Amino acid sequence: MHPELIEIMRAQVCTIYRAVTGADLPTAEPATSEAEPSLEEITRSFAELEALARTSPALSERVAPFSFTPPLDVFLDGEDLLIEVAVPGVERNDVTVECADGTLIISGIRRGHRGSQERPYSGEIPYGPFYRALRVPLPMSSEPTVGLDRGLLRVRLMSLATNKQTQEATPSPSQPQP
């Protein structure tokens, strides 16, 4: 679990509470006699609250979903694949891109308004964790090139044929140059 995910989950709980009651979540005094809940218990309780919030149309209009699946486009660029993923407000260091066993996995986290006292009247742009897995239909190199510009994550997977041509065209240090 991402290190800051619990804090982001707490912010979502506060947003849901504010949307339901119109007031800020009261600060709770830590119980001295009770044991701390486990991470599994916190995650399960949060998922139940989030699912309950999605059942009310009025509440769903005011509270953006916590986790999301970002939209993507896939282009064939010559023999390479170019994948563009819409992740507005996400920093590059909050995204992980992996390619293994013919599957491209893009995951990360979109943080909320850190330290902001703004109270959302309506929420449509999701924040929290995101995840996409895409089966790559062609043999590609396992190392994607990744860039993020203005909320658009661009992932390029070189085909094995292009990768092989590039390696053959680049002389190795031990080869004499003509």
Side-chain angles (χ1 to χ4, degrees), residues 22-144:
D24 288 334
L25 184 68
T27 51
E29 295 296 322
T32 56
S33 62
E34 294 181 23
E36 288 285 317
S38 69
L39 188 57
E40 286 179 17
E41 188 177 344
I42 291 170
T43 304
R44 184 180 37 76
S45 296
F46 178 80
E48 289 170 0
L49 175 65
E50 181 68 15
L52 185 61
R54 299 293 133 223
T55 63
S56 166
L59 193 54
S60 289
E61 289 175 6
R62 297 202 52 211
V63 178
F66 177 70
S67 62
F68 63 103
T69 303
L72 63 78
D73 289 331
V74 180
F75 303 95
L76 193 56
D77 185 17
E79 292 185 10
D80 299 344
L81 278 182
L82 176 63
I83 299 96
E84 294 182 337
V85 185
V87 286
V90 172
E91 301 291 329
R92 174 63 185 98
N93 59 345
D94 290 330
V95 178
T96 302
V97 178
E98 302 171 278
C99 190
D101 300 323
T103 301
L104 178 70
I105 300 170
I106 301 168
S107 61
I109 192 163
R110 180 174 186 267
R111 301 174 193 289
H113 298 282
R114 194 181 313 194
S116 174
Q117 295 301 316
E118 297 173 6
R119 297 179 182 181
Y121 175 75
S122 178
E124 294 182 4
I125 302 173
Y127 67 94
F130 61 87
Y131 178 87
R132 279 308 293 256
L134 174 70
R135 188 85 178 130
V136 179
L138 307 167
M140 298 286 160
S141 67
S142 61
E143 287 302 314

